[in-house]
Every structure is written in C-alpha cells, then in structure tokens.
Amino acid sequence: MAPDLDVLVVGSGVAGLSLAVRLADSSLRVGVLTKAELSQSTTRWAQGGVAAVLGGDEDSVDLHHADTLAAGAGLCDVEAVRVLVAEGPDRVHELVALGAVFDIEAGGSLALAREGGHSTARIVHAGGAATGAEVERALVAALHRGAAAVLEHWFAVDLVLDAGRCTGVVARDPQGNVRQVAARHVVVATGGVGQLYAVTTNPAEATGDGVAMALRSRVPVADVEFVQFHPTALHHPAMPRPLLSEALRGHGALLRDASGDRFVDELAPRDVVSRAMADRMADQGVDHLWLDATALEGFDDRFPTLAASVRAAGLDPATDWFPIAPAAHHVSGGICTDLDGASALPGLWAVGEAACTGVHGANRLASNSLLEGMVFGARAAEAIAAGRDGPVPTGALAAVLPGEGSTAGEGSTAGGAGRIAGRVPAVGVDGVTLPDWAAGADPATAPPARGSDPEPDEPADWEKWRDRVQRAMTDGAGVVRSPASLRRAATTLGAAARALDASASASDDPSVARAAAEVRNLVTVGWAVLRAAVAREETRGAHTRRDHPGPEDRWRLRLVHGDLAGGSVPASGGISPAGKGKVGP
Ligand code: SIN
C-alpha cells in the first residue's frame, strides 16, 4: 500500500538523506523511495571527500568561493556558491555529530587533502578514499531512526501534476504494480546520469531518472551538456571504473603520457586535465595514459581503499604506474532550483546531482558535490519545515523566473554579469533537426538511422539499446565533441526513441519494465545533452567543441530545457534571453 506523505524523497544519496534526516524530528511524514536498497547510491562510490574550510590559516571561505567560480568557467551563480562555501563547514560538523568518522592527523585535527582546482588543502576524507561510503553509512543509520516510510526497490516512473503543482509520483512497486505515491512535496534526489556513457565511475543505478521525469513534465532543466569526466579512472574492464582519487595527485602523483613525459599541471581543474589527456591520447594513438604514484610515501596507510583496488588489478603502487583514462563522473546541471532547492514547479524540489543550483557552473570543483548535497539538502528541509511552498527567483532559478536576476561568476572574481539563461533553441546538425520530443514532439521526427548504424533486431531488447546508447554517447558526446560526432550520437538516440515509442506498452515483468524505463530515461536526458551540446558553439568548462576551441562571450548563459516561467520566451526561434536584462545573443 503506497502511503500518503507530506514529503516524498526520491533517491537515497547524500542530498536526499540529508534532507530526510533533518526532517525526521519534525511533525511531517517523510518517506524515502529508492529503486535499489537505501545504501546503493552514487554517494557510496564517492572517494574524494568533502571540500570545506575547516582549518588551516591560509584558507578562507572567500578562497573556496574564488576557486569554485574559477573552476565553473563563468557560469556559476555567485550567490549559490556563497551559500555553499559559507554553510559547508557547519554541515560537516553536523555529520561528525551524527557519527561519521573522517580521517584525522596524529594530533587529532581533521586531515585535509588538496585536489585539482583548490588553492590549498581543504578536503576531508574518510578511510583514505572511501568518504562517500562513510557519509552514506552515517545518514542511513540516522534515517532508520526517523522515517515514516522507506520504500526500497520502488521505481519512480513519472511525476504526477495536478492544478499546476506536483502532487506525487507514479511508481512501480517491487512486484511491478503501478502505484501513485501522493505527497505534498516531492524531492528529486536521484543523482546523476553516468550510465549514459560506456565508461563511467557511476554505478548502474545512475540513469538520470529524476531529471528525465522533470524533462518530460517540462520543468526547467539546465547545464546538462556539462558532463564532467574524471581524468584518472583506472583503465580496466571493471564497471563502474575504479577511480584513482584526485587526492593522489594532491599528494604528488604525476600524469605521464605514452612516452613517460609529463604534459599537464596535475592540479589544474578537472576539465583542463581531461581535455589535455584526450588530446594527448589522440596524438599518440593510445587509449590510456599513466598515473605515477611510485614516489608517494605511505601509500597503503594513507589510501587503503585505493591500495586494495590497484593490487586487485595486479599493480604494485611502489613500482607500477597505473593505466588511466577519463571516465564520465558527474553532471553539473539538472533541475533548476532556487537557493532552497525549490524547482519552478510548486511542490517539486531537487537536491544533489539531480539539481542545478548554479554552484558548479560549467565545471564542478573537485569534492564540492557531497558538500552541495549536504548544504542544499539541509536548506530544502528547513524551507519545507518552515512552510515554504513554491520557488523564489534565486540561485539558478533567478535566471529562469521573472525577478531580480542572478549573477554569473567570471574567473576568480566575484563580479556579476546580469542574467544568464536562454532556452535551448531549435537546433540541427548536418541539416537534421533535433526535435524536443521529450517534451511532446513526435519521436518519428528524430534523425533516421543510417545504414552504418543499424537498429537492434529486437526493438524491446533493452540491454542492447542501453549498450548502444552508451557507446553512441561515448563516441559522440564525450570529452571532445564535434558536429559530426554529435550527429552520430543523435542518430542512435533517435533510433532508440523510436524503438521506445514502438514498444510503449510496458512489460508486466518488473525487471524488464525497470530496464525499459531506465533506457527511456537515458535517452530523454541524453537527448537534452545532445541538443544543448549542438547549440553551444564554444568550448567552456566540461563542454569541449573541436570546431570552437575557446569560450565565447555570447554563450555565457545557462541553456534551459523545458518551459521558462512567465511566458517571456517565444515558442521557437533562436536563443532567447529570459526575463529582463540580456546576456546572450
Ligand atoms: C576524487 O577523489 O578524485 C573524486 C572527487 C570528486 O569527484 O569530487
């Protein structure tokens, strides 16, 4: 029996659980719905820790703010970043009070590591490089003490909308029955979409379910073209790819090419390093490079999880370089929210990787994502508990809702630059339009498959479709993109969209229904990534266009899918500035 709730949290990573745990002592009935077990979230896989200003005379929240803006390549929301860095330290202390155990120095203070893009050491870790697992453990234990309902192995299929607000979700229960779960507030905390790619550090569950639901309901979603690739995933058949934490480079590990030469600043932001690696691999005709940690002292003591992982792959950290290649890791964008996690649709909230708060801009600073989940999960909880209902024009939503406008960070300055949103325009590659079929256009109008890209024989073979979509996105919309590569990916996703359409009648078998729903979600989000990646004719942050090698001022705007509120945007045509003021073309 599906319970009626005040708050339904969909997803059980750090952001959703931070929210649910904070509401546990309130009078609200809070439920958590997750498609696997509570602890099976992407959070569990996060190695790198939580970036927060917790000590060290040379550090300050201003410095953390500046580093975050610099990594975000001109698209961060300055206020959202301020909230993140200012409130982060208290959230870490609360997590410690809840029972999370972080690594400490001999003298008892928190051990702080340095990662790419950070001016100083400010990352707290647990178990060397098992931070996410420790955070998840502490939150799951706390949740069990206070939730009204925990719905494990339930799959949220779509949002329920009624009279202009979100009133719940349609979901499949563990037996495959279709149910409605009603709630006054629905919080999307479903994480990222690493499974769009054949090589990823994300678990099999990361299929962008919440963002796909929002796209289908035309709720504003932005910045999804900024898919961040982690530079140092172990080049190894295991999936998700074992990650070699950036903290290794923070402690002095070096990147080496096929000739053994260094070629990039190991502590540059992640987009810079991944791009340099992709270029070097293309130049040298290789599919991996090397991470040299042989000079690191106390590897096994400081990084026990990584030591076990590389030894399991037959590597000795004292003598062997580790084979590495970039892997899809994190998406900067998601459902546009205000500074308290409210989306443009009353009753719908989004937190964590599923949200676009504006803190990451075009490229997330390392170890800011667990922090984002903790900070904005807590803020959403406080806002809901205080009776807030509906969005206000702050954070990423300031660029979408009519109102006073948001500011975009430029480089390491805190200067603003007016409003920064525009609707994804009608785009095409090679003369083929990419229709917005996720929002109602007929999938039959998606680009036709070509002879070189045959469709699987069996339209409803979801494993084959998943695999094909992942390979198409890896080849076409990976670290480096071009019109031709994006067109190839669009062709395959178009074929997938038509196959999905043709087999719309869902299976009674719960596992087949779930597999089909996940592919549908991957294609929905992948299509949004492609449309924005085609439209954005520049290189900025995690979006690299071979044909447009640098950032361009006219593209310093957030590309928004779905409906912009206030009716200020024409139904079609070019990029349209939202609300008052104008930054885009
Ligand atoms: C890492 O440890 O390198 C991952 C940290 C992150 O993705 O923020």
Side-chain angles (χ1 to χ4, degrees):
M1 174 77 178
D4 276 2
L5 299 162
D6 296 306
V7 183
L8 173 68
V9 181
V10 183
S12 62
V14 60
L17 293 187
S18 294
L19 182 143
V21 167
R22 208 169 188 90
L23 289 178
D25 293 332
S26 73
S27 57
L28 298 171
R29 284 175 54 79
V30 181
V32 177
L33 180 153
T34 174
K35 65 181 177 178
E37 283 164 23
L38 266 188
S39 57
Q40 266 174 285
S41 68
T42 303
T43 295
R44 186 170 54 117
W45 296 86
Q47 295 188 352
V50 186
V53 178
L54 290 160
D57 289 345
E58 70 282 13
D59 203 6
S60 69
V61 291
D62 285 342
L63 202 52
H64 189 185
H65 191 251
D67 288 347
T68 303
L69 295 185
L75 281 193
C76 295
D77 182 89
V78 173
E79 280 313 309
V81 177
R82 176 62 60 191
V83 163
L84 178 83
V85 299
E87 297 182 12
D90 284 350
R91 298 294 86 81
V92 174
H93 290 308
E94 283 170 11
L95 209 51
V96 171
L98 217 51
V101 180
F102 292 110
D103 297 338
I104 52 171
E105 300 288 4
S109 58
L110 283 169
L112 301 177
R114 185 169 174 195
E115 294 180 354
H118 290 274
S119 316
T120 186
R122 65 163 74 95
I123 323 291
V124 289
H125 284 254
T131 314
E134 177 58 12
V135 168
E136 186 79 11
R137 184 201 62 72
L139 287 169
V140 167
L143 181 80
H144 278 308
R145 299 195 286 269
V150 173
L151 304 174
E152 293 179 305
H153 302 288
W154 283 60
F155 189 95
V157 179
D158 268 310
L159 302 175
V160 178
L161 271 54
D162 187 22
R165 64 175 293 127
C166 180
T167 58
V169 298
V170 175
R172 281 185 178 263
D173 70 14
Q175 291 70 45
N177 305 307
V178 177
R179 306 245 185 227
Q180 276 204 21
V181 187
R184 177 146 187 82
H185 302 277
V186 173
V187 182
V188 172
T190 47
V193 69
Q195 287 292 320
L196 252 185
Y197 291 87
V199 176
T200 178
T201 62
N202 290 188
E205 288 83 15
T207 49
D209 304 330
V211 175
M213 291 195 296
L215 283 164
R216 287 194 289 270
S217 295
R218 301 193 63 85
V219 175
V221 163
D223 289 352
V224 288
E225 66 274 34
F226 299 112
V227 179
Q228 183 177 75
F229 284 74
H230 195 293
T232 55
L234 191 64
H235 183 66
H236 183 273
M239 201 62 73
R241 279 285 197 268
L243 189 60
L244 298 177
S245 173
E246 196 149 327
L248 289 175
R249 279 174 281 142
H251 279 84
L254 303 176
L255 291 170
R256 297 193 185 277
D257 69 10
S259 312
D261 296 327
R262 291 177 65 193
F263 57 94
V264 66
D265 171 7
E266 281 83 0
L267 289 178
R270 217 166 258 182
D271 57 329
V272 175
V273 179
S274 287
R275 201 158 37 235
M277 288 179 65
D279 288 345
R280 191 53 64 115
M281 289 194 292
D283 289 350
Q284 298 189 323
V286 294
D287 63 0
H288 65 277
L289 299 174
W290 302 98
L291 183 68
D292 171 6
T294 52
L296 263 62
E297 284 177 14
F299 189 102
D300 291 63
D301 289 341
R302 197 172 262 280
F303 302 106
T305 328
L306 297 184
S309 161
V310 294
R311 284 186 201 287
L315 297 162
D316 180 349
T319 53
D320 295 326
W321 294 353
F322 308 139
I324 45 150
H329 186 59
H330 183 274
V331 57
S332 280
I335 301 169
C336 293
T337 70
D338 66 18
L339 292 178
D340 295 312
S343 80
L345 179 68
L348 184 71
W349 306 69
V351 291
E353 196 174 342
C356 176
T357 57
V359 298
H360 304 309
N363 178 54
R364 178 184 63 103
L365 182 65
S367 285
N368 265 358
S369 47
L370 290 178
L371 183 71
E372 182 194 29
M374 289 156 58
V375 167
F376 288 92
R379 286 180 71 92
E382 300 287 342
I384 290 170
R388 260 274 304 283
D389 194 24
V392 295
T394 60
L397 262 191
V400 174
L401 297 178
E404 279 313 302
S406 73
T407 52
E410 175 73 275
S412 60
T413 74
R419 301 187 70 89
I420 54 161
R423 184 174 180 170
V424 180
V427 286
V429 275
D430 233 5
V432 180
T433 303
L434 306 185
D436 191 1
W437 60 264
D442 182 355
T445 59
R450 288 173 158 175
S452 60
D453 186 27
E455 300 182 20
D457 302 335
E458 173 53 66
D461 185 337
W462 303 114
E463 285 312 315
K464 276 192 192 159
W465 274 118
R466 184 168 173 142
D467 181 58
R468 174 150 294 178
V469 165
Q470 289 173 336
R471 282 187 288 118
M473 290 297 288
T474 303
D475 166 60
V479 177
V480 179
R481 301 154 178 188
S482 70
S485 78
L486 291 165
R487 197 248 190 262
R488 284 197 301 276
T491 299
T492 301
L493 265 65
R498 281 192 302 284
L500 288 160
D501 201 43
S503 53
S505 56
S507 167
D508 287 339
D509 178 333
S511 59
V512 174
R514 173 175 155 171
E518 287 186 336
V519 175
R520 176 180 180 232
N521 290 341
L522 288 174
V523 174
T524 302
V525 181
W527 199 251
V529 172
L530 288 179
R531 291 184 68 239
V534 169
R536 185 175 286 283
E537 294 182 326
E538 65 163 354
T539 288
R540 181 185 298 276
H543 170 69
T544 300
R545 280 280 295 258
R546 187 70 78 200
D547 52 329
H548 293 275
E552 294 181 21
D553 224 33
R554 69 195 177 102
W555 286 110
R556 192 165 162 238
L557 79 174
R558 223 178 278 301
L559 282 174
V560 181
H561 308 257
D563 286 327
L564 299 181
S568 57
V569 176
S572 62
I575 296 289
S576 311
K580 62 184 182 183
K582 176 171 170 172
V583 168

